[in-house]
Amino acid sequence: MRRRKTVLLILEPARMGPLRPSPGPGGQRLLLPPLLLALLLLLAPSASHTTQVVYKVPEEQPPNTLIGSLAADYGLPDVGHLYKLEVGAPYLRVDGKTGDIFTTETSIDREGLRECQNQISGSPCILEFEVSITDLVQNGSPRLLEGQIEVQDINDNTPNFASPVITLAIPENTNIGSLFPIPLATDRDAGPNGVASYELQAGPEAQELFGLQVAEDQEEKQPQLIVMGNLDRERWDSYDLTIKVQDGGSPPRASSALLRVTVLDTNDNAPKFERPTYEAELSENSPIGHSVIQVKANDSDQGANAEIDYTFHQAPEVVRRLLRLDRNTGLITVQGPVDREDLSTLRFSVLAKDRGANPKSARAQVVVTVKDMNDNAPTIEIRGIGLVTHQDGMANISEDVAEETAVALVQVSDRDEGENAAVTCVVAGDVPFQLRQASETGSDSKKKYFLQTTTPLDYEKVKDYTIEIVAVDSGNPPLSSTNSLKVQVVDVNDNAPVFTQSITEVAFPENNKPGEVVAEVTASDADSGSNAELVYSLEPEPAAQGLFTISPENGEIRVKTSLDREQRDSYELKVVAADRGSPSLQGTATVLVNVLDCNDNDPKFMLSGYNFSVMENMPALSPVGMVTVIDGDKGENARVQLSVEQDNGDFVIQNGTGTILSSLSFDREQQSTYTFQLKAVDGGVPPRSAYVGVTINVLDENDNAPFITAPSNTSHRLLTPQTRLGETVSQVTAEDIDSGINAELTYSIAGGNPYGLFQIGSHSGAITLEKEIERRHHGLHRLVVKVSDRGKPPRYGTALVHLYVNETLANRTLLETLLVHSLDTPLDIDIAGDPEYERSKQRGNILFGVVAGVVAVALLIALAVLVRYCRQREAKSGYQAGKKETKDLYAPKPSGKAAKGSKSKGKKSKSPKPVKPVEDEDDTGLQKSLKFNLMSDAPGDSPRIHLPLNYPPGSPDLGRHYRSNSPLPSIQLQPQSPSASKKHQVVQDLPPANTFVGTGDTTSTGSEQYSDYSYRTNPPKYPSKQVGQPFRLSTPQPPPHPYHGAIWTEVWE
């Protein structure tokens, strides 16, 4: 619990004689009657309310680091107040307006602060500061704000051993588990940043013999070497180990030292102190040789092994300087001046070591507390506060200050403690000033007071005061001290200057010469003397800073540089007239300077060059872009006209909007870029102009289809059946004069690939073989390749790729015929494959049909012959039924050439010239409609009629036509007649009427020439029930041929 201390304020009237001094060791002592002391207790002023401010900041912060804001953190005013640092320099500075506390160029080093040296471990490091707060509006008495900054330790120091080499002597018969203390490492940092751990690093020869144990001893980590094995000096007399120390900072710091262990001969017992810790008190200012305390250790050995030497162990240098330790007796005495105010506690260790061959040692802790003596008189410090500054012990105070205005801050302190530091402070003499306690947070040994006025000051009555302050402590006998301050009362300047015009407006042209006069202002002051002497100055707005100057004597304003209206067209100047009073008073006026324009700026395009992109095929007079032009001038000087330079009529520009129009429709393929210049002319006198380049880039539109460059539609390529799968068999290449995505082409097979033999790369156009080639695939393949671009909508081109699947190109005539047929065949019809393969299948079907037809016809003929025979017997005609004719007029005469031609393969017979029969016009029309030819194979042969297989609708009855020319009413085909030969494979039974029927010749049923048309069965053109309609057997019709589709027969007239 904190003990309350009493501060006595001693008032010494001016009429009292001087107090008789009583000399003492610490300064001047005043002997006061007890009655006067009791009176002073009643007159002591009451303390005022203060705010305690505490901040925490790490040490070693860079300059201008914000520690805290008094206004923001503690709700203190931030407007209309002045903050001033009274205590805390050179480590701190305070912003006068906001109360923000910053670090300075002098770094705060916790280990270097005097306040934090020799303090108890674990105690916070405190840096005290004081800030005064003065109300500038009410000009009241300042407030004093006391604060503390707890300087937090950072890990900026590395722990180190006292020596890079540490030597330990251990006897060779040391028991396993014995401990030997290792000298401590020290770290200037504190707390977690101090020494945290030790680590022992040993070589292979010592790894099994030694270990490390760290013991906690009075908040210290004591490293101890553990003997883990038997030592043999004859085998190994020394070991070099490494001991590493590391602190607990982040990141940690570490260092190491060489620990050399020397194995000694046997010394059985180590010294032992009577107490582990010795405590003593020592009065400050004790004389040299004064006994402090004696430490004592015992050793159970005998002789030299029991003789003990006492030494300091890792004691601070200040301990070795102030105290002396007797090596033989352990008596500690004073050997230097001990001052409690410098050091209040001495803490160190004493080492007791025997004198054996292998010495052993023990350690004890010693704590010496220094007792205070009243050897310091109170200290009185007088310094300025707030706006009041002191110089050479003098303060200047205006006569118009309010009552209780602080003119100084008085700090009274005593370096002693307890009652010796309890100080009483008073103002001596009859003066209008008194002391008021400034802080409640101070201790009895350190107090702060405001020296403030008690009545209004009057310069005309008293121009200055000398104030004496007396401080007395409570020691026995008491000590006292005095200090004085001279206060100078300053006359008041209470009239401010006044301008004749508060606002002055002038017009001033730009591009002026520097130094020209802009305006002149005048002010007056009702005061006299120096308070009426005026000094003119300018406080321009930021934009006018450095542009204008004013004569301090006469108020003449001049321009320092040439003005530019385009940069700024007006300036506002604040003119200040200040008198020479103290404090100075000011009057202000405003001068408005309007800058007049001149045509000094060229028109300026917003860009150094314009690039526009338009789509092709855009209609004429469409906008293609817009330009922006500005002129820094104003009025007519800024009115700009635009035109196209080197105008060829392709482009026009609209004034006012800056829109560029095209007079033509663009075609990118003809011209992709247009370049021209625009001219801008302002309306100034003389006019000014500017130029800018314009580039029109025509963007592509998908208005061109891909163009096939290879292969040509008439080309072909041989593809043998041995071609490997995946092999490229052809390459389609194409071009597109468009650009971009409109020129990106894709390839596909649109037709002609019914077997799926081929595949084309969608991007490469390479055609590859995808399936094995079979016999049915032989022949010409026409691939319809579609090449499309990626435009929207897409355009495409078509290529014909002819691939001839065969072993060789021996039959080029056939290949050329197939190519011609391919070009004449519509693209939606596939011509791929081997026609002979299909034709062979058709021939088999035809052969089967022909055989079946011959059998059926034979049966019909037999039945017809039987029926006719029966009817002829009963007929009443002019001839007998069944009478054998001597000559069959209608039996075709076989021709040797015809027979030979029918058997030859691959040989084409020539078409005979048509012979027009001598008939009427109906007969001629019939021949034309049927397109038959009378052919003769050899001289003497009967003529033959070549009739088509397919009769067109409306064809006349051929039987009725030839019946009019027939000498007999009927025709019989006998087996011995030529019609029954192998040449005729189809025999038809004639109806009762005399009718002619023709049949197809087997020699014209096939052809070596290829055709893509399949064989078709022709349906009968006339109903079977029609009178006179012959019975016909329809056969599959082969592809067109000069002789295909016709039947050969002979006619005799």
Side-chain angles (χ1 to χ4, degrees):
M1 183 174 179
R2 185 177 178 182
R3 184 176 56 184
R4 180 173 182 81
K5 299 179 181 180
T6 304
V7 178
L8 298 180
L9 302 178
I10 301 177
L11 179 62
E12 183 181 5
R15 61 179 179 270
M16 293 178 61
L19 299 177
R20 291 181 298 175
S22 176
Q28 188 180 23
R29 297 179 181 177
L30 297 179
L31 300 178
L32 301 178
L35 182 60
L36 180 59
L37 292 177
L39 178 62
L40 290 176
L41 291 176
L42 298 176
L43 298 177
S46 61
S48 62
H49 175 72
T50 58
T51 303
Q52 181 69 24
V53 178
V54 178
Y55 289 109
K56 294 182 179 181
V57 60
E59 63 174 330
E60 305 288 354
Q61 293 299 306
N64 299 318
T65 299
L66 177 63
I67 297 177
S69 176
L70 297 176
D73 298 340
Y74 293 93
L76 299 176
D78 58 354
V79 177
H81 287 72
L82 173 66
Y83 291 85
K84 181 183 176 184
L85 181 69
E86 304 294 346
V87 175
Y91 302 107
L92 307 174
R93 71 174 181 86
V94 174
D95 187 283
K97 295 181 179 180
T98 63
D100 293 345
I101 303 176
F102 298 92
T103 58
T104 64
E105 297 294 335
T106 303
S107 176
I108 302 176
D109 184 5
R110 181 184 181 278
E111 292 74 31
L113 289 177
R114 182 177 179 275
E115 296 83 350
C116 301
Q117 293 179 353
N118 301 320
Q119 67 178 9
I120 301 175
S121 177
S123 300
C125 177
I126 301 299
L127 176 63
E128 296 183 345
F129 67 92
E130 295 175 6
V131 176
S132 63
I133 307 174
T134 303
D135 191 341
L136 299 179
V137 178
Q138 299 180 0
N139 198 21
S141 178
R143 297 172 54 188
L144 183 65
L145 194 66
E146 292 182 325
Q148 295 181 343
I149 295 178
E150 180 181 340
V151 182
Q152 297 177 331
D153 184 51
I154 65 172
N155 193 24
D156 57 343
N157 292 282
T158 303
N160 290 293
F161 291 96
S163 173
V165 178
I166 302 172
T167 302
L168 286 181
I170 301 178
E172 61 179 338
N173 63 344
T174 299
N175 295 328
I176 295 176
S178 299
L179 300 176
F180 292 87
I182 300 174
L184 297 174
T186 59
D187 194 328
R188 295 186 65 195
D189 295 324
N193 296 325
V195 175
S197 63
Y198 292 89
E199 180 184 353
L200 185 67
Q201 299 173 351
E205 72 280 357
Q207 193 169 9
E208 302 295 332
L209 297 178
F210 302 102
L212 181 68
Q213 173 180 300
V214 180
E216 296 284 344
D217 184 11
Q218 297 180 359
E219 299 182 356
E220 291 183 342
K221 294 184 181 339
Q222 172 63 56
Q224 296 174 324
L225 187 68
I226 307 175
V227 177
M228 302 171 59
N230 295 320
L231 301 179
D232 186 354
R233 186 176 182 277
E234 287 71 24
R235 181 175 177 271
W236 207 292
D237 61 352
S238 66
Y239 298 89
D240 286 342
L241 312 176
T242 300
I243 183 168
K244 179 180 178 183
V245 61
Q246 179 173 297
D247 61 23
S250 179
R253 291 173 174 262
S255 66
S256 60
L258 176 65
L259 179 61
R260 179 163 291 165
V261 179
T262 303
V263 182
L264 303 177
D265 287 335
T266 304
N267 181 12
D268 296 338
N269 298 290
K272 184 176 182 181
F273 280 97
E274 294 178 351
R275 288 180 292 172
T277 303
Y278 292 85
E279 296 181 355
E281 288 187 350
L282 175 64
S283 298
E284 64 176 332
N285 302 323
S286 296
I288 296 176
H290 176 75
S291 177
V292 180
I293 194 173
Q294 184 176 13
V295 297
K296 184 172 181 58
N298 300 312
D299 196 319
S300 302
D301 295 326
Q302 295 181 352
N305 293 335
E307 297 177 1
I308 299 175
D309 291 333
Y310 299 94
T311 59
F312 287 119
H313 178 68
Q314 293 185 341
E317 195 279 330
V318 64
V319 173
R320 298 176 184 271
R321 178 170 52 84
L322 297 178
L323 302 179
R324 177 182 178 276
L325 174 62
D326 189 280
R327 183 179 185 88
N328 298 318
T329 64
L331 179 63
I332 300 174
T333 58
V334 177
Q335 71 173 1
V338 179
D339 189 353
R340 187 206 61 80
E341 287 72 33
D342 291 336
L343 191 64
S344 62
T345 304
L346 298 174
R347 189 185 301 269
F348 55 93
S349 296
V350 174
L351 186 68
K353 181 186 295 185
D354 60 27
R355 298 178 182 178
N358 299 321
K360 292 188 175 184
S361 62
R363 186 170 64 94
Q365 185 78 14
V366 179
V367 179
V368 178
T369 303
V370 182
K371 293 177 58 179
D372 181 59
M373 301 295 291
N374 191 22
D375 57 345
N376 292 282
T379 301
I380 302 174
E381 181 183 358
I382 303 175
R383 59 178 184 265
I385 183 69
L387 296 176
V388 181
T389 59
H390 295 182
Q391 186 175 4
D392 298 331
M394 180 181 294
N396 295 322
I397 305 300
S398 176
E399 63 175 331
D400 62 347
V401 297
E403 293 185 17
E404 298 184 353
T405 298
V407 298
L409 178 66
V410 179
Q411 178 174 302
V412 181
S413 60
D414 196 317
R415 296 184 64 191
D416 295 324
E417 67 176 1
E419 293 295 331
N420 297 330
V423 180
T424 301
C425 186
V426 294
V427 176
D430 186 10
V431 291
F433 297 92
Q434 68 177 8
L435 293 175
R436 177 173 60 86
Q437 189 168 344
S439 173
E440 292 180 349
T441 59
S443 62
D444 290 341
S445 62
K446 184 177 182 181
K447 291 186 177 182
K448 296 182 179 65
Y449 302 92
F450 286 128
L451 179 62
Q452 62 186 24
T453 61
T454 57
T455 60
L457 302 180
D458 190 349
Y459 173 78
E460 286 70 25
K461 293 181 179 180
V462 181
K463 293 181 174 57
D464 57 64
Y465 297 90
T466 299
I467 305 169
E468 187 174 3
I469 301 173
V470 180
V472 181
D473 63 22
S474 300
N476 187 18
L479 301 178
S480 65
S481 61
T482 62
N483 200 351
S484 61
L485 174 68
K486 186 176 182 180
V487 177
Q488 182 85 35
V489 181
V490 181
D491 191 19
V492 175
N493 179 25
D494 54 355
N495 290 286
V498 178
F499 283 90
T500 55
Q501 288 184 337
S502 60
I503 299 178
T504 302
E505 188 171 356
V506 295
F508 192 74
E510 66 174 333
N511 302 327
N512 58 283
K513 295 181 179 179
E516 291 186 7
V517 177
V518 178
E520 185 175 352
V521 294
T522 305
S524 60
D525 195 315
D527 291 327
S528 61
S530 61
N531 294 334
E533 296 178 3
L534 302 182
V535 177
Y536 295 94
S537 62
L538 285 180
E539 293 183 1
E541 57 182 340
Q545 197 77 314
L547 297 180
F548 299 89
T549 183
I550 189 171
S551 173
E553 293 80 15
N554 57 23
E556 188 177 68
I557 301 175
R558 294 177 180 270
V559 63
K560 296 172 62 177
T561 184
S562 180
L563 300 182
D564 188 356
R565 190 208 62 80
E566 287 70 37
Q567 293 184 0
R568 191 173 181 87
D569 59 359
S570 65
Y571 298 90
E572 181 175 328
L573 309 178
K574 181 181 179 182
V575 182
V576 179
D579 58 27
R580 297 183 184 273
S582 180
S584 176
L585 297 181
Q586 298 177 349
T588 60
T590 302
V591 177
L592 299 178
V593 181
N594 297 319
V595 184
L596 302 179
D597 183 56
C598 296
N599 190 24
D600 58 345
N601 289 280
D602 293 333
K604 182 180 179 181
F605 289 92
M606 295 301 294
L607 299 177
S608 59
Y610 288 88
N611 284 274
F612 301 109
S613 297
V614 297
M615 297 298 297
E616 64 176 329
N617 302 322
M618 191 171 62
L621 296 181
S622 297
V624 297
M626 180 180 294
V627 300
T628 304
V629 61
I630 59 174
D631 195 311
D633 298 321
K634 63 185 297 186
E636 288 297 324
N637 296 332
R639 194 180 304 276
V640 179
Q641 294 290 326
L642 297 172
S643 61
V644 178
E645 283 292 292
Q646 301 175 355
D647 187 10
N648 56 3
D650 291 345
F651 299 94
V652 294
I653 187 166
Q654 293 178 343
N655 280 290
T657 63
T659 303
I660 302 174
L661 306 177
S662 67
S663 302
L664 47 83
S665 179
F666 299 106
D667 187 349
R668 190 198 65 81
E669 287 72 34
Q670 293 184 3
Q671 185 172 351
S672 61
T673 304
Y674 296 83
T675 304
F676 55 91
Q677 279 191 330
L678 293 179
K679 180 180 180 181
V681 181
D682 63 20
V685 179
R688 305 175 76 96
S689 60
Y691 295 86
V692 71
V694 178
T695 300
I696 307 296
N697 298 309
V698 183
L699 301 180
D700 184 52
E701 191 176 73
N702 194 22
D703 55 348
N704 293 280
F707 173 73
I708 311 299
T709 58
S712 66
N713 291 342
T714 58
S715 64
H716 65 276
R717 182 173 178 179
L718 176 64
L719 189 62
T720 63
Q722 292 77 27
T723 303
R724 297 186 302 274
L725 294 180
E727 182 178 345
T728 300
V729 299
S730 184
Q731 176 69 46
V732 179
T733 57
E735 297 177 354
D736 196 319
I737 61 175
D738 291 325
S739 64
I741 194 173
N742 297 329
E744 296 179 7
L745 303 180
T746 57
Y747 300 81
S748 62
I749 297 177
N753 192 24
Y755 303 108
L757 287 178
F758 306 100
Q759 184 176 349
I760 189 170
S762 60
H763 299 291
S764 63
I767 300 176
T768 55
L769 182 65
E770 295 299 320
K771 292 184 179 180
E772 293 284 351
I773 297 177
E774 301 176 1
R775 175 64 185 85
R776 62 193 180 97
H777 299 150
H778 285 216
L780 182 65
H781 292 255
R782 180 189 65 183
L783 301 181
V784 180
V785 177
K786 182 179 180 181
V787 184
S788 303
D789 58 28
R790 298 181 62 187
K792 292 183 178 180
R795 293 177 175 270
Y796 64 90
T798 303
L800 299 182
V801 180
H802 293 94
L803 299 174
Y804 184 58
V805 180
N806 202 0
E807 294 289 347
T808 63
L809 284 176
N811 194 350
R812 290 189 174 273
T813 303
L814 175 61
L815 178 58
E816 292 175 358
T817 304
L818 295 177
L819 289 174
V820 173
H821 173 66
S822 171
L823 297 178
D824 293 338
T825 303
L827 298 182
D828 57 347
I829 298 177
D830 293 332
I831 64 170
D834 185 3
E836 291 297 332
Y837 179 80
E838 297 294 335
R839 189 178 297 118
S840 62
K841 292 171 60 178
Q842 293 178 0
R843 284 181 182 142
N845 296 335
I846 292 173
L847 180 59
F848 177 77
V850 168
V851 172
V854 168
V855 173
V857 169
L859 294 176
L860 292 175
I861 290 175
L863 181 60
V865 170
L866 180 60
V867 172
R868 288 176 64 87
Y869 176 77
C870 295
R871 289 183 177 180
Q872 287 178 358
R873 293 182 61 181
E874 298 176 359
K876 295 181 180 182
S877 58
Y879 55 87
Q880 295 180 358
K883 183 178 180 179
K884 186 175 181 181
E885 298 293 335
T886 61
K887 187 178 182 180
D888 189 353
L889 298 177
Y890 294 97
K893 186 177 181 180
S895 173
K897 291 182 179 181
K900 184 179 180 180
S902 63
K903 294 179 181 180
S904 63
K905 187 174 183 180
K907 205 170 183 182
K908 298 182 181 178
S909 59
K910 296 182 180 180
S911 302
K913 295 182 179 181
V915 180
K916 184 177 181 180
V918 183
E919 296 289 343
D920 55 11
E921 293 180 358
D922 294 337
D923 297 339
T924 304
L926 175 63
Q927 180 180 347
K928 292 181 179 180
S929 63
L930 295 180
K931 298 181 181 179
F932 64 88
N933 293 321
L934 299 179
M935 304 182 62
S936 176
D937 290 338
D941 290 341
S942 299
R944 295 185 299 170
I945 300 176
H946 181 204
L947 299 176
L949 274 176
N950 298 330
Y951 294 92
S955 298
D957 189 348
L958 294 180
R960 186 179 60 192
H961 170 72
Y962 288 100
R963 186 168 55 245
S964 61
N965 297 313
S966 177
L968 297 175
S970 63
I971 297 176
Q972 286 186 346
L973 297 180
Q974 300 297 331
Q976 66 271 17
S977 65
S979 61
S981 66
K982 294 181 179 180
K983 180 178 179 180
H984 298 281
Q985 296 182 3
V986 179
V987 180
Q988 299 180 358
D989 184 20
L990 298 179
N994 191 8
T995 305
F996 175 82
V997 176
T999 61
D1001 192 346
T1002 57
T1003 61
S1004 61
T1005 59
S1007 175
E1008 293 294 328
Q1009 186 173 0
Y1010 169 77
S1011 173
D1012 63 328
Y1013 296 104
S1014 60
Y1015 295 99
R1016 296 186 300 270
T1017 303
N1018 295 321
K1021 297 297 182 178
Y1022 306 101
S1024 57
K1025 294 182 180 180
Q1026 182 178 350
V1027 178
Q1029 175 67 24
F1031 173 83
R1032 294 181 300 171
L1033 178 64
S1034 298
T1035 61
Q1037 183 179 352
H1041 187 271
Y1043 302 116
H1044 286 179
I1047 54 176
W1048 295 91
T1049 185
E1050 295 180 0
V1051 179
W1052 293 265
E1053 295 183 355

